[in-house]
Amino acid sequence: MDSPEGATIRSEQKFRKFLKSLVRKQPRDLLLVIGTGVSAAVAPGIPALCSWRSCIEAVLGAAEQLEVLHPGDVAEFRNKVKKERDLLVVAHDLIRKMSPRTGDTKPNFFQDCLMEVFDNLEQHIQNPVVLQSILRLMERGTMVLTTNYDNLLEIFGQQQGKPMESLDLKDKDKVLQWARGHVKYGVLHIHGLYTDPCGMVLDPSGYKDVTQDPEVMEVLQNLYRTKSFLFLGCGETLRDQIFQALFLYTVKNKVDLEHYMLVLKENEDHFFKLQADMLLHGIKVVSYGDCFQQFPEYVQDLTAQICKQRSPDAERVDSTTPLGTSCVDCAKRKLGESGTDSPKRIKGSDNDITTLQ
């Protein structure tokens, strides 16, 4: 039975308005940017997924247990986590401390600590609603990139039978294929993946081959100019040095663009100031509610609204697919070739009910 709190959240969500400029977007015109908030909603039992602060604290705990960092250094970094506002700087310093003195990122103990922290991720997926929504959009052409080290989306997608691929910026050919829309279920990890033996990257200098490659940069920046980025669970992303290097520094006339960011509205003054500031980057800030528990259902409802939009290519859907067959059946009904039955409801793989008209 639903708790009173859960019922209240659902009631508030039910009557929530969505920006028409967002819900009228075709899925293929969107690019999702996934931050730690998504992982926190999906696997709340792993504190390291909840925020950069929690992640660094968990890594320090693992480093202490594995004895791969001097106790004095552990204490120093714990003190930095408490005082430093820019936690990405702390994380970057921690990676360097646990890497060879040559400055190379491989091999390093930071990866071992992350593997310890993220062990058996698939067993910790408790609330897959957001992941279901993301997959539903990906099925319709939405692209996905993430600042997260974890691969929760890929794990869940594979469980649903999707050919998921984890990509990083060091594989130029794959990045170009992804950016051109040829890797339907590809997830680009701009910081790398915790399972990658090449290690993780937080500083643009780790991707000099990418940032100095005009072909790659033009294709990536063209995404920021031509797609609508939708930031999900992102708190620090716009201050992220790699994201800035890839998309913000060299893209001109950002105020003319139309991107979106879902945020928690804890404080009205802060929220409306953020709205005004982000418009300078071409980003519309939207509140999903005043408590984090509202985030998953908001994303689910927003996805349902976006997926209601009929694609201009709907008539060209392959009739051999379940969706294609349904569209053909709908067309036949309109032509009177299959009687006068009302449109049927089709249950999708993401457990949502969609009425095809």
Side-chain angles (χ1 to χ4, degrees):
M1 184 174 178
D2 293 339
S3 66
E5 180 183 1
T8 300
I9 290 174
R10 272 182 292 281
S11 176
E12 290 176 355
Q13 293 276 27
K14 183 177 180 181
F15 299 106
R16 180 175 292 280
K17 293 283 189 180
F18 298 96
L19 291 181
K20 285 185 170 57
S21 63
L22 174 55
V23 298
R24 288 178 177 172
K25 298 286 184 188
Q26 292 294 329
R28 68 184 183 186
D29 294 330
L30 294 173
L31 190 153
L32 303 185
V33 182
I34 298 175
T36 55
V38 169
S39 298
V42 171
I46 302 182
L49 296 175
C50 297
S51 66
W52 276 109
R53 187 180 305 279
S54 299
C55 182
I56 296 171
E57 290 173 345
V59 167
L60 288 172
E64 193 171 38
Q65 292 176 353
L66 295 173
E67 297 185 320
V68 295
L69 194 62
H70 190 281
D73 292 327
V74 172
E76 180 183 346
F77 274 103
R78 281 182 171 150
N79 191 45
K80 285 184 177 180
V81 170
K82 293 178 182 177
K83 296 182 178 180
E84 180 66 53
R85 179 174 177 270
D86 194 343
L87 295 173
L88 290 175
V89 171
V90 178
H92 176 238
D93 291 344
L94 182 57
I95 286 181
R96 292 205 168 201
K97 189 69 177 180
M98 301 174 78
S99 302
R101 294 180 183 178
T102 58
D104 191 2
T105 57
K106 59 177 183 179
N108 66 66
F109 285 124
F110 186 82
Q111 180 195 359
D112 290 289
C113 293
L114 275 183
M115 293 179 75
E116 185 74 18
V117 169
F118 294 154
D119 190 35
N120 297 320
L121 271 181
E122 65 277 2
Q123 298 179 12
H124 296 276
I125 296 177
Q126 296 181 24
N127 185 8
V129 169
V130 177
L131 299 183
Q132 289 170 340
S133 299
I134 293 171
L135 284 179
R136 188 177 179 189
L137 289 168
M138 292 181 80
E139 288 173 355
R140 292 159 174 80
T142 299
M143 300 172 68
V144 176
L145 71 79
T146 181
T147 57
N148 298 344
Y149 290 134
D150 68 78
N151 57 346
L152 280 170
L153 176 58
E154 293 95 308
I155 290 173
F156 182 76
Q158 287 169 354
Q159 291 174 348
Q160 309 306 307
K162 307 299 183 186
M164 308 298 294
E165 288 190 60
S166 299
L167 314 174
D168 66 49
L169 289 170
K170 293 181 179 178
D171 189 339
K172 174 180 175 177
D173 291 339
K174 272 294 185 182
V175 170
L176 289 175
Q177 289 179 34
W178 172 84
R180 290 166 177 156
H182 301 320
V183 188
K184 183 175 182 178
Y185 289 101
V187 181
L188 180 63
H189 292 257
I190 65 172
H191 287 159
L193 192 62
Y194 81 95
T195 56
D196 185 347
C198 292
M200 285 62 63
V201 181
L202 284 175
D203 190 302
S205 63
Y207 286 135
K208 282 182 179 178
D209 291 342
V210 175
T211 56
Q212 295 178 6
D213 187 315
E215 182 183 15
V216 174
M217 290 301 291
E218 173 58 28
V219 170
L220 289 176
Q221 289 163 11
N222 189 54
L223 290 174
Y224 201 71
R225 290 190 291 262
T226 60
K227 298 279 186 182
S228 283
F229 280 40
L230 175 56
F231 296 85
L232 301 179
C234 297
E236 303 286 334
T237 301
L238 290 186
R239 293 198 297 118
D240 182 296
Q241 293 182 45
I242 293 177
F243 188 87
Q244 289 177 342
L246 293 176
F247 300 108
L248 298 187
Y249 286 155
T250 55
V251 175
K252 298 179 180 179
N253 303 319
K254 289 185 282 289
V255 72
D256 297 328
L257 304 177
E258 191 171 52
H259 304 301
Y260 302 87
M261 178 180 288
L262 303 189
V263 303
L264 174 68
K265 188 178 74 172
E266 291 182 296
N267 178 282
E268 285 197 343
D269 291 339
H270 174 74
F271 171 75
F272 287 109
K273 182 181 185 305
L274 181 65
Q275 267 192 339
D277 292 343
M278 288 299 99
L279 281 177
L280 297 175
H281 295 284
I283 299 172
K284 295 179 178 180
V285 172
V286 181
S287 166
Y288 62 76
D290 55 13
C291 69
F292 184 63
Q293 286 70 25
Q294 294 173 304
F295 176 63
E297 191 169 352
Y298 184 95
V299 173
Q300 183 182 48
D301 292 345
L302 175 61
T303 299
Q305 291 291 321
I306 292 171
C307 291
K308 280 182 180 180
Q309 303 304 312
R310 185 171 178 79
S311 168
D313 299 328
E315 291 77 9
R316 296 197 294 271
V317 174
D318 183 358
S319 62
T320 61
T321 66
L323 178 61
T325 303
S326 301
C327 291
V328 170
D329 289 343
C330 290
K332 287 181 178 179
R333 281 194 291 272
K334 289 180 180 179
L335 293 172
E337 294 178 7
S338 60
T340 57
D341 295 339
S342 59
K344 295 181 180 179
R345 288 178 176 258
I346 297 173
K347 189 166 184 178
S349 61
D350 55 5
N351 296 323
D352 288 329
I353 303 296
T354 304
T355 302
L356 299 177
Q357 298 180 355

